[in-house]
Amino acid sequence: MIEVKNLHKSFGEEEILKGLNTKFEKGKTNLIIGQSGSGKTVFLKCLLGLFKPTKGNIIYDGQAYSEFSDEKQRELRKKIGMVFQGSALFDSMTVRENVDFPLRMFTKEKRNVRYEKVDKVLERVNLDGAENKYPSEISGGMQKRVAIARAIVNNPKYLFCDEPNSGLDPKTAIVIDNLIQEITREYDITTVINTHDMNSVLEIGENIVFLKKGNLVWQGNKDEIFKTENDDVTDFVYSSDLFKKVREAQLKGL
């Protein structure tokens, strides 16, 4: 679990995050949503330790990040898996080498031991047989699955995903959503997903945090988001054609 207490983040005189309080639950898919400029990316970077909060604290399984020594911060980074927007694979490395990268960085295991782990997670994301291909030789959806395999190969406690469906067609996006949710449950990870994809909200929104102008204005799940009377949330949600269709179906009793 990750707890966020009175989190503020400013750059100069501009305050981006304005006292956020929330929890991201273990074994669930936790989504951060909101319009551009709402503070989603800054919030995610604070959770990752890339930005130091101006005020407040982030607590990882009962331990406050502000109290971590440099060594403890390094240990935390080893427990974090990250799926970047656009996958961020190394073009000059094969699929297997890409997934092996964090093991080479953070462990002293021999190559045969590392590759055994790599091949196991590649099989888990349905990429066995693609280990010797290069990113340019596989589809965007396959690249995203490589990125997920790389993020989980070191058995992380926390998984962060930044717009994991960016650039994917709707059908492939659903496959990636379901894969992330399955892995979250199987590995019992605390997963946090920064997204603008309303399909993801419908598919895997077990815990949704809605930001507006640096404030947390609503929190709930994919069922509760249809019932909320929060104007900011409804304006954002029903700007999506997908949600309009779902709402119409609900009203018709389908």
Side-chain angles (χ1 to χ4, degrees):
M1 177 184 286
I2 300 174
E3 298 179 74
V4 178
K5 294 188 175 181
N6 193 32
L7 186 70
H8 293 255
K9 179 58 184 176
S10 298
F11 296 96
E13 296 182 358
E14 184 179 9
E15 188 175 34
I16 306 299
L17 303 180
K18 304 171 182 178
L20 305 185
N21 291 281
T22 189
K23 292 181 180 179
F24 296 117
E25 300 178 47
K26 186 179 181 182
K28 290 187 177 181
T29 44
N30 302 276
L31 275 60
I32 304 171
I33 67 173
Q35 295 175 337
S36 298
S38 62
K40 301 193 306 294
T41 300
V42 172
F43 188 20
L44 187 67
K45 288 184 177 181
C46 286
L47 293 171
L48 285 164
L50 299 176
F51 287 159
K52 182 179 179 181
T54 306
K55 183 181 177 182
N57 223 324
I58 302 171
I59 301 168
Y60 300 86
D61 291 318
Q63 298 182 307
Y65 187 81
S66 63
E67 299 174 3
F68 282 13
S69 63
D70 290 346
E71 177 61 29
K72 206 162 189 177
Q73 289 180 21
R74 285 192 290 271
E75 287 300 314
L76 175 65
R77 284 194 284 272
K78 293 179 183 179
K79 299 175 183 178
I80 290 176
M82 181 71 198
V83 178
F84 297 93
Q85 184 176 359
S87 301
L89 302 179
F90 298 103
D91 293 335
S92 60
M93 294 183 182
T94 64
V95 165
R96 178 183 276 145
E97 290 167 341
N98 266 283
V99 178
D100 180 47
F101 185 77
L103 294 177
R104 288 194 291 115
M105 288 286 292
F106 294 121
T107 76
K108 296 181 180 179
E109 296 171 338
K110 293 183 178 179
R111 188 172 72 171
N112 64 318
V113 176
R114 300 197 317 267
Y115 276 15
E116 185 176 342
K117 291 182 178 180
V118 169
D119 290 345
K120 185 177 180 180
V121 294
L122 285 175
E123 181 179 359
R124 175 60 191 83
V125 300
N126 299 316
L127 281 176
D128 43 323
E131 58 272 6
N132 294 318
K133 294 182 180 295
Y134 288 88
S136 61
E137 299 175 316
I138 59 178
S139 68
M142 292 174 73
Q143 289 178 21
K144 197 69 67 172
R145 281 186 276 152
V146 175
I148 293 171
R150 182 176 62 185
I152 65 171
V153 71
N154 212 17
N155 195 23
K157 292 183 69 174
Y158 314 100
L159 176 64
F160 295 93
C161 306
D162 185 19
E163 302 286 2
N165 292 334
S166 177
L168 300 180
D169 64 84
K171 185 176 180 179
T172 303
I174 290 172
V175 171
I176 296 302
D177 280 338
N178 291 335
L179 178 59
I180 291 172
Q181 186 174 55
E182 289 167 6
I183 285 171
T184 296
R185 292 173 177 172
E186 288 174 21
Y187 288 68
D188 201 23
I189 302 172
T190 301
T191 295
V192 180
I193 304 167
N194 181 17
T195 186
H196 69 275
D197 189 346
M198 293 299 100
N199 288 286
S200 297
V201 174
L202 275 179
E203 285 287 330
I204 60 170
E206 295 179 292
N207 179 39
I208 305 163
V209 169
F210 182 86
L211 301 185
K212 182 178 181 181
K213 296 181 179 179
N215 293 290
L216 196 160
V217 299
W218 183 85
Q219 184 163 359
N221 61 40
K222 62 183 181 180
D223 297 317
E224 294 166 341
I225 202 167
F226 285 111
K227 302 172 184 176
T228 181
E229 296 181 0
N230 185 299
D231 291 338
D232 292 323
V233 178
T234 55
D235 287 347
F236 177 78
V237 165
Y238 291 110
S239 65
S240 163
D241 289 338
L242 172 65
F243 272 74
K244 288 176 184 176
K245 292 177 182 178
V246 172
R247 184 57 174 167
E248 288 171 2
Q250 288 181 330
L251 293 173
K252 291 177 181 177
L254 299 178

